[in-house]
């Protein structure tokens, strides 16, 4: 059956992602502009949930901070609860803590409440973007130390490198940016061609509109 939204590998909402305008201390792009546009956010969740099986998931865990947005929305769609995995020092309950290396090369600590779930709980890990895989590694260790199992990983995109290839080989990985597509190639190079025609007004909230904005060039 033909998808009325067009080919999955060329979803319009991906072109809403914003380029970095503040320099190398920040991530190279900002996908959060997808979330503010209701049509874009809905289409993103539709695509991700189409590849997820709620019967294989007991809870969705979101990684601090933007994984909270995506993970909570997916949990609500899938009828599953949400578990935040936080940067260290934020939770006022007993926690377990691990150190990890983030995308900028800095070492940070992340923590999860303890106990968070019963042994054997199947946890879907959600983050907005997976670049080096270091943050995911910390989350995996926290889940497994409490006797849980990683049911899969979900993100808007996962860049391709040795660490993330290992994740794809070991876990079910679901991303909006599909492998072997131009979007994936551009993510790996850390520059999207859509940056050349980026228009912030296309990301504005769509409440009350009857349809999504047209993609650039159409």
């Amino acid at each position: 059956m033909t998808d009325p939204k067009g080919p999955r590998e060329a979803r319009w909402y991906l072109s809403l992602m914003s380029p970095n305008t503040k320099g190398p201390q920040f991530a190279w792009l900002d996908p959060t502009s997808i979330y503010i546009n209701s049509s874009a956010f809905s289409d993103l969740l539709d695509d991700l949930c189409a590849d997820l099986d709620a019967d294989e998931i007991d809870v969705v865990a979101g990684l601090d901070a933007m994984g909270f947005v995506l993970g909570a929305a997916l949990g609500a769609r899938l009828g599953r609860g949400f578990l935040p995995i936080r940067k260290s020092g934020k939770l006022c309950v007993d926690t377990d803590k691990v150190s990890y290396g983030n995308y900028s090369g800095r070492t940070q600590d992340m923590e999860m409440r303890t106990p968070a779930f019963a042994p054997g709980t199947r946890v879907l890990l959600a983050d907005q973007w997976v670049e080096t895989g270091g943050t995911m590694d910390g989350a995996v260790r926290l889940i497994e130390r409490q006797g849980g199992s990683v049911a899969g990983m979900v993100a808007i995109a996962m860049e391709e490198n040795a660490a993330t290839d290992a994740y794809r080989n070991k876990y079910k990985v679901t991303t909006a940016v599909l492998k072997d597509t131009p979007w994936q190639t551009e993510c790996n190079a850390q520059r999207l061609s859509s940056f050349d025609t980026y228009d912030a007004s296309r990301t504005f909230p769509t409440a009350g509109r009857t349809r999504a904005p047209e993609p650039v060039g159409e």
Side-chain angles (χ1 to χ4, degrees), residues 27-188:
W28 64 274
L29 88 168
D30 175 27
T32 63
S33 47
I34 294 175
Y35 305 151
I36 197 171
N37 182 295
S38 61
S39 297
F41 199 15
S42 180
D43 283 357
L44 168 69
L45 295 173
D46 285 348
D47 287 344
L48 294 175
C49 287
D51 291 340
L52 296 170
D53 184 350
D55 290 337
E56 298 175 353
I57 301 162
D58 297 315
V59 67
V60 180
L63 280 58
D64 198 340
M66 298 319 304
F68 294 171
V69 178
L70 190 60
L74 288 170
R77 281 282 190 102
L78 296 169
R80 297 294 180 265
F82 175 73
L83 169 67
I85 298 180
R86 303 220 56 185
K87 291 175 181 147
S88 182
K90 305 296 185 181
L91 291 169
C92 62
V93 295
D94 292 337
T95 61
D96 188 15
K97 180 170 69 174
V98 299
S99 296
Y100 69 98
N102 69 9
Y103 68 90
S104 67
R106 292 177 296 171
T107 298
Q108 294 183 301
D109 293 331
M110 67 193 313
E111 60 185 7
M112 186 175 73
R113 66 189 305 120
T114 181
F117 45 72
T121 297
R122 301 166 300 174
V123 183
L124 176 68
L125 294 174
D127 203 359
Q128 177 171 265
W129 201 268
V130 182
E131 186 172 335
T132 64
T135 310
M136 274 293 183
D137 174 66
V140 169
R141 284 183 281 138
L142 285 172
I143 296 302
E144 293 181 343
R145 275 171 25 174
Q146 286 202 36
S149 63
V150 176
M153 298 177 177
V154 61
I156 295 175
M158 179 178 284
E159 295 179 30
E160 293 177 320
N161 52 56
T164 58
D165 287 347
Y167 289 148
R168 290 185 184 275
N169 289 333
K170 187 173 182 179
Y171 305 109
K172 179 180 179 179
V173 172
T174 300
T175 55
V177 171
L178 300 181
K179 282 177 62 65
D180 303 318
T181 65
W183 282 108
Q184 182 69 64
T185 300
E186 292 182 0
C187 289
N188 295 341

Side-chain angles (χ1 to χ4, degrees), residues 12 36-41 202-213:
W12 71 277
I36 197 171
N37 182 295
S38 61
S39 297
F41 199 15
R202 295 181 63 239
T203 73
F204 293 170
T206 54
R209 295 187 187 178
T210 58
R211 61 192 302 273

